[in-house]
Amino acid sequence: GQYCRILLYGEFLGQCPFKNSLVLAGICSATTPFLLLGDILDCLPLDQCDKIFSFVEENVSTWKSVSSLVCIFHHETPSEPADLLRRLSKSQNTVFCGRIQLFLARLFPLSEKSGLNLQSQFNLDNITVFNKNEQESTLGQRPTEEKEDGMEVEEGEMGDEEPGAPAPCSIPIDYNLYRKFWTLQDYFRNPVQCYEKFSWITFLKYSDETLAVFKSFKLDDMQASKRKLEELRTAGGDHVYFAKFLTSEKLMDLQLSDSNFRRHILLQYLVLFQYLKGQVKFKSSSCILNDDQCLWMEETTKLVYQLLKEIPPDGDKFATMVEHVLNTEENWNSWKNEGCPSFVKDRDELTRLWNLNHDNMAACQSESREFMPSLEDFFEEAIEQADPANMVENEYKVVHNSNYGWRALRLLSRRSPHFFQPTNQQFKSLADYLESMVIKLAKELPDLPSEEIKTGEEDDEDNSDTLLKESNDSPSMQNKLVSNQQMDEIAAKLGAQWKTLAGQLEIKAAEIREIETDSEDVDMQAKLLLVAWQDREGTQATVESLVTALNAAGFPKIADILNET
């Protein structure tokens, strides 16, 4: 047992020929590597844990496969890196904490909920400490005065600047500005306060004053920031990074001159506004903003983005990146509000559909996928309802159904030439247009009893029945309607002389001008003339009527052609 334990430790440290293979080979259980990792990290100091963790990071793919086995067989997730994270100081071991969090993000699947703040809780322990006693404030004192702690101002700290260097701040900083500025951190720490009336008034007042300072004091160069970085270098040349704010009064002017510090504060505003305006599942129903608050946040958001764009270097790029990240965060919030559904979709059904046919384009063109009905089947009910003998009231006809009308237009555009036939007839509603189309289709479709369709315009019902029956048994020129093909032939013969026929067809001057406006082609104008006449006359637009008009207008040859056809 001790030998196996030594082998396992050696395998973990990369000194064993069985490296990354013991679990996969079944020599040990899936939890063993994580138990050994926990033992090692618990026994070693933090500086050596950093070196061990570098090995863990390099083999993240292996750990990921092992963690999957742990989740499958033991229904639990490895917690050893998280335990190490609790030992670390967020202010002193910031980089190490970030490495562990990135490792956990790569180790666990996207749908893993163990690391999510599902209930949108805030870290209320993150309190920013600053001087709240104005009597103890050193702001406003001369730089050469002795400080309360007995320390004198060091050369170059608050005294004379280097030759040619700009002043750190051109705005007088007093205790009121210092206090209001750092008080805002409490609202960023606990945004729920903004829903309280008096807290919101305080937040709005302090924010306006702080943003006014940012707006009036623009960063024209990076000398102040570079100077501060030089001051923060340690003896070994390493940079010192502070995860918490430094709230010393004597650093206030330097902070206002620092581009990173200013970006940090402005970004806090954007994150706060996103929470206040967003839909959060666990937010109380009383957390509602009024119109004035929403308007102020909208205007302030624009101001914050403008200030971000003005901060060097690359202000425009930084502002664009921040906006993109916050928009992406909206998707993340929506996913959490929906209960964190799995990103993994069931592909079995898609696989089956994909493999139904080796040629998917041919499958799409198959007759079995033809779902468009024929004109006969679709309009059969409408044609039956158009017959006055059936006594169907208008409000119950299918042509008055908006859904039916929408589908009828789509079908007519695909299967009927009447849909694209030009017309000057004005229809008051879609139902009126469909009724006229139903009458035309009833006379054309061979499988439907067109002799049963009556327009209801005749005064004598018996006489109308006789005419319709005669038209069905032995159609004559007297009641035969002019076809679309006949109108095309007549229009081609008339050409530029179509206006001569317009008078005999009783077409008004306004309609003639409209025809001339619609098309410059004389043949098309002649066709529009005949269509306008047909639309006006309806069932009275017969061959006989048109022959009479042609003879009266002085076109006997065209009339003879129409008689022959």
Side-chain angles (χ1 to χ4, degrees):
Q2 184 177 9
Y3 176 72
C4 292
R5 189 174 182 84
I6 295 174
L7 283 179
L8 289 172
Y9 268 106
E11 195 276 336
F12 172 74
L13 296 174
Q15 300 171 354
C16 179
F18 314 144
K19 182 179 180 180
N20 301 331
S21 60
L22 297 182
V23 174
L24 300 179
I27 299 177
C28 63
S29 65
T31 58
T32 302
F34 294 98
L35 294 175
L36 295 177
L37 176 61
D39 291 345
I40 295 175
L41 296 179
D42 288 341
C43 297
L44 296 178
L46 292 180
D47 57 341
Q48 296 187 26
C49 287
D50 193 338
K51 298 178 181 179
I52 295 296
F53 197 76
S54 297
F55 169 81
V56 176
E57 289 177 308
E58 294 173 358
N59 297 272
V60 62
S61 59
T62 302
W63 288 103
K64 192 170 185 178
S65 62
V66 175
S67 66
S68 300
L69 294 175
V70 173
C71 296
I72 293 174
F73 294 109
H74 299 274
H75 305 286
E76 59 184 11
T77 55
S79 60
E80 286 71 19
D83 293 337
L84 175 61
L85 186 61
R86 297 187 186 95
R87 293 176 54 194
L88 299 176
S89 169
K90 294 182 179 179
S91 59
Q92 300 297 325
N93 308 107
T94 309
V95 177
F96 198 2
C97 290
R99 289 171 56 194
I100 295 177
Q101 291 175 338
L102 288 175
F103 172 78
L104 292 175
R106 297 172 61 188
L107 181 65
F108 295 134
L110 289 175
S111 56
E112 172 61 40
K113 300 180 182 180
S114 60
L116 295 179
N117 183 13
L118 296 177
Q119 297 184 0
S120 301
Q121 298 176 345
F122 300 100
N123 182 16
L124 301 181
D125 296 332
N126 183 25
I127 300 176
T128 301
V129 181
F130 62 95
N131 180 20
K132 298 182 180 180
N133 188 351
E134 186 175 3
Q135 302 299 326
E136 299 178 358
S137 174
T138 59
L139 289 172
Q141 298 182 9
R142 296 178 59 85
T144 56
E145 292 179 0
E146 186 175 337
K147 304 302 176 182
E148 293 182 3
D149 56 2
M151 296 181 59
E152 296 184 356
V153 179
E154 297 181 2
E155 183 179 356
E157 180 180 18
M158 297 289 289
D160 297 336
E161 298 291 339
E162 297 179 2
C169 183
S170 60
I171 295 179
I173 300 175
D174 56 10
Y175 177 76
N176 284 331
L177 176 60
Y178 168 83
R179 177 179 59 86
K180 294 175 181 178
F181 180 86
W182 290 114
T183 301
L184 289 173
Q185 291 299 318
D186 193 57
Y187 293 92
F188 299 143
R189 176 184 67 94
N190 186 15
V192 180
Q193 298 180 81
C194 295
Y195 293 107
E196 302 173 1
K197 180 178 179 181
F198 295 103
S199 298
W200 171 262
I201 295 175
T202 303
F203 170 73
L204 188 147
K205 179 181 178 181
Y206 290 3
S207 296
D208 287 341
E209 294 185 19
T210 299
L211 294 176
V213 172
F214 285 1
K215 185 177 180 180
S216 59
F217 175 52
K218 301 183 184 301
L219 301 181
D220 297 329
D221 54 62
M222 297 296 296
Q223 294 187 25
S225 297
K226 293 179 179 179
R227 190 167 56 255
K228 180 180 178 182
L229 289 177
E230 290 294 335
E231 294 174 356
L232 293 177
R233 290 184 184 275
T234 61
D238 297 330
H239 292 281
V240 178
Y241 176 79
F242 297 96
K244 287 290 294 180
F245 291 116
L246 300 177
T247 58
S248 173
E249 295 177 350
K250 62 182 180 180
L251 293 177
M252 189 72 179
D253 57 344
L254 292 176
Q255 288 170 329
L256 292 178
S257 304
D258 185 82
S259 60
N260 290 329
F261 178 83
R262 185 173 295 198
R263 284 174 172 173
H264 197 122
I265 300 299
L266 294 175
L267 184 57
Q268 285 181 306
Y269 273 104
L270 296 178
V271 174
L272 172 66
F273 292 163
Q274 186 179 54
Y275 172 80
L276 295 178
K277 295 185 297 183
Q279 298 294 330
V280 180
K281 183 176 181 180
F282 293 94
K283 187 186 294 186
S284 174
S285 58
S286 61
C287 297
I288 301 176
L289 299 174
N290 57 40
D291 294 339
D292 293 337
Q293 291 173 317
C294 294
L295 179 61
W296 181 85
M297 285 198 302
E298 182 178 352
E299 296 175 351
T300 306
T301 299
K302 296 179 181 179
L303 174 60
V304 169
Y305 275 115
Q306 181 61 35
L307 293 174
L308 285 174
K309 294 178 180 179
E310 296 174 355
I311 298 177
D314 302 324
D316 290 331
K317 293 182 180 179
F318 183 83
T320 302
M321 181 271 296
V322 168
E323 185 175 10
H324 172 74
V325 171
L326 292 179
N327 289 336
T328 305
E329 188 71 12
E330 290 289 348
N331 300 329
W332 182 259
N333 291 337
S334 300
W335 177 70
K336 289 174 61 178
N337 291 336
E338 294 171 1
C340 306
S342 176
F343 291 101
V344 180
K345 302 298 182 181
D346 186 6
R347 294 181 293 180
D348 294 340
E349 181 64 16
L350 293 177
T351 302
R352 185 187 68 81
L353 294 174
W354 188 260
N355 295 323
L356 285 178
N357 194 304
H358 67 281
D359 188 348
N360 291 306
M361 289 303 298
C364 293
Q365 298 172 358
S366 172
E367 294 182 358
S368 62
R369 296 193 58 82
E370 179 61 50
F371 303 111
M372 185 182 300
S374 63
L375 290 173
E376 292 86 345
D377 295 337
F378 187 82
F379 286 99
E380 181 178 5
E381 182 180 4
I383 292 175
E384 291 179 356
Q385 293 177 348
D387 188 355
N390 293 327
M391 294 184 295
V392 179
E393 298 181 9
N394 287 336
E395 59 179 322
Y396 298 110
K397 292 182 178 180
V398 292
V399 294
H400 289 270
N401 185 303
S402 58
N403 184 29
Y404 181 89
W406 178 77
R407 291 186 291 125
L409 290 178
R410 287 176 57 88
L411 183 61
L412 288 171
S413 66
R414 297 291 299 273
R415 297 197 182 276
S416 175
H418 292 292
F419 184 82
F420 298 100
Q421 184 175 353
T423 178
N424 289 330
Q425 185 177 357
Q426 301 295 326
F427 296 99
K428 296 182 179 180
S429 65
L430 175 61
D432 294 339
Y433 170 76
L434 291 178
E435 286 180 352
S436 67
M437 296 298 295
V438 165
I439 294 175
K440 293 181 181 180
L441 291 173
K443 299 180 182 300
E444 293 180 357
L445 298 177
D447 298 334
L448 296 176
S450 61
E451 70 276 3
E452 297 179 0
I453 304 301
K454 306 182 182 67
T455 62
E457 297 178 356
E458 295 81 357
D459 296 331
D460 190 349
E461 184 175 350
D462 295 336
N463 185 43
S464 176
D465 292 339
T466 303
L467 291 175
L468 285 173
K469 185 176 180 181
E470 290 178 355
S471 67
N472 183 66
D473 296 338
S474 56
S476 62
M477 184 181 70
Q478 183 178 1
N479 48 28
K480 183 178 181 181
L481 296 178
V482 180
S483 66
N484 188 50
Q485 181 180 358
Q486 289 173 325
M487 287 193 295
D488 290 337
E489 295 176 357
I490 296 172
K493 297 292 183 181
L494 286 174
Q497 298 178 331
W498 62 272
K499 292 183 182 179
T500 306
L501 180 62
Q504 298 298 325
L505 297 179
E506 299 180 357
I507 301 298
K508 298 179 181 180
E511 292 180 292
I512 295 177
R513 289 193 296 270
E514 186 176 352
I515 291 174
E516 292 177 328
T517 303
D518 290 342
S519 177
E520 297 180 355
D521 183 71
V522 292
D523 292 345
M524 178 56 68
Q525 291 174 349
K527 177 65 177 296
L528 293 174
L529 169 70
L530 296 174
V531 170
W533 167 75
Q534 185 187 55
D535 291 340
R536 187 193 65 199
E537 296 296 326
T539 57
Q540 302 300 321
T542 61
V543 173
E544 182 184 24
S545 299
L546 185 55
V547 168
T548 302
L550 288 170
N551 286 323
F555 301 107
K557 294 183 178 180
I558 301 178
D560 293 340
I561 296 175
L562 182 59
N563 285 328
E564 294 175 359
T565 58

